[in-house]
Amino acid sequence: MPDTPDAPGLPPAGGDDRPPAHADQTAASGDTGGEDRAPSRIPAGDDTPPGGGTGPSGDGAVAGGGGVGFTTRAVKGAAAGKRDGGRRRAHPLARFLVRRTLLALLMAWGITLVTFVLTNLVPGDPVAANLGQRALGDPAIVAQWRAEHGLDKPLWEQYVLHLQGLLQGDLGTSQQSHRPVSEDLAEFVPATLELAGAAILVSLVLGVAFGVIAALRRDRLSDHVLRLLSLIGISVPTFWLALLAFYVFFYRLQLTPGSGRVDAALGPAPPVTGLQTVDALLAGRWDIFSSAVGHLITPALVLALYTIGLLTRFTRSAVLEVLGQDYVRAARAKGLPGRVILFRYVLRSALVPVITVAGLAFGSLLSGTVLVEAIFAWPGIGQYAYKSATTLDLPAVMGVGLVVGVVYLVINLIVDVLYGVIDPRVRLQ
């Protein structure tokens, strides 16, 4: 990438290599002489009496100039230690994580309540959906089925039993598969995680790169082309693009494999994580790995197109905003290389809103892959949720809602922590 030219109208800094965020404070403080000004180093709110450093105690802090700040900090630190009883306070990041974890637990309880209420408000009779119309004519069969699945109890009692099961790690038993919902989710969730993870990885790499290029070449041909492509990516329906990609690349051109996660002749890798690519690498099966990657490419790109367009536009807007800041113009005036300005100053500030969008996009990918999974016969959580909803499998529907909600909570927690890592202006206190 070529060096960014110096901003017009800003003189060079004359060889000063200090970062622009740490500009010289000499002019602001009025210090024009060569002597040290001790009072300027005393923190605000210092309760040390005047002349405390030159009295009979013999500290000699004022005479030494720079010792006043050290002595003041030592006195205030000792006083703070006495107030705290000698106990060390927890790190701000640790306190932040504890608060967010407690808040996440409260929100997780809210998710269980909302999913339970909405699931039971869905019109339809789960008995008819699972047993059929002929079984409804036998009251004994209906009563037995309701008692077996706990539907003969009041709603508040059903919710209490549901919470007790969650605390014990029991999500209930699926009314369709007759297996624990946790076992069904352990089978279907890794497939969706693999698909959504590949899609968000491609989206981050291409979306951020395209956004930076469009911002640096503002109002040029490449900028207009990338903005047009991002608009197309946001506007095209995902299910239509999935159908088109499957028809063109598999049926007509035969460039990509068909449906499923791996070739039927090879079979899946020995299950360890549930991710076919990872399990194939752990087992040393390169043939299964290449097959899994080939099956993953097309649906991942289809899902990533919308997110690429979204991240391109957000990154372009964020980078353009940062490029107009004073510290970026000062860095140019100092003669810093364009790459240093871009990666050290511009991207670090511009990535904060991009991380927010990427986190929300990853959560939406986990919960919005139903049609893509149906077209590519991808056995993920979207297919499981669709079949559970059509058959009124209430425990399975509530299990899927709880998993998706918890994933959103974890993503938001990770995004908040990354704020403090990327942008030092964000205070976790």
Side-chain angles (χ1 to χ4, degrees), residues 320-338:
L320 285 177
E321 182 180 358
V322 175
L323 287 175
Q325 297 296 323
D326 292 338
Y327 64 87
V328 176
R329 290 196 292 265
R332 290 173 175 173
K334 286 175 174 292
L336 294 178

Side-chain angles (χ1 to χ4, degrees), residues 43-262:
D46 183 17
D47 54 359
T48 305
T54 58
S57 59
D59 289 339
V62 174
V68 173
F70 174 78
T71 305
T72 304
R73 285 192 297 269
V75 173
K76 296 178 68 176
K82 292 180 180 178
R83 288 194 300 267
D84 294 341
R87 294 175 298 178
R88 296 184 60 184
R89 299 184 63 184
H91 193 275
L93 180 59
R95 297 199 303 269
F96 171 78
L97 290 177
V98 170
R99 290 197 305 267
R100 287 308 305 265
T101 302
L102 295 177
L103 180 61
L105 292 176
L106 180 62
M107 295 182 67
W109 170 77
I111 291 173
T112 62
L113 180 61
V114 171
T115 54
F116 180 83
V117 172
L118 293 181
T119 302
N120 285 274
L121 289 178
V122 173
D125 189 1
V127 179
N130 288 272
L131 297 181
Q133 294 295 330
R134 296 182 60 181
L136 291 178
D138 192 342
I141 296 178
V142 173
Q144 180 183 359
W145 194 90
R146 287 185 176 275
E148 180 181 352
H149 293 87
L151 298 179
D152 57 338
K153 298 180 176 62
L155 283 180
W156 67 267
E157 188 174 351
Q158 295 181 33
Y159 179 67
V160 171
L161 294 176
H162 177 61
L163 284 182
Q164 291 178 354
L166 290 179
L167 294 177
Q168 299 174 1
D170 182 15
L171 299 178
T173 302
S174 173
Q175 299 167 0
Q176 287 295 310
S177 64
H178 304 289
R179 298 195 308 169
V181 176
S182 57
E183 293 184 4
D184 289 343
L185 293 176
E187 177 182 347
F188 293 105
V189 169
T192 301
L193 284 177
E194 188 174 35
L195 180 59
I200 198 65
L201 181 62
V202 173
S203 302
L204 284 173
V205 174
L206 297 181
V208 173
F210 290 164
V212 172
I213 294 173
L216 295 180
R217 303 183 64 84
R218 182 180 183 181
D219 294 332
R220 299 183 184 179
L221 179 61
S222 57
D223 180 27
H224 295 306
V225 171
L226 290 174
R227 291 169 64 186
L228 177 62
L229 292 178
S230 65
L231 182 61
I232 294 175
I234 295 175
S235 304
V236 174
T238 304
F239 72 91
W240 181 85
L241 183 63
L243 287 172
L244 180 64
F246 187 82
Y247 175 77
V248 172
F249 295 106
F250 170 68
Y251 183 74
R252 300 293 298 179
L253 302 179
Q254 297 183 355
L255 295 177
T256 58
S259 57
R261 301 179 68 185
V262 293

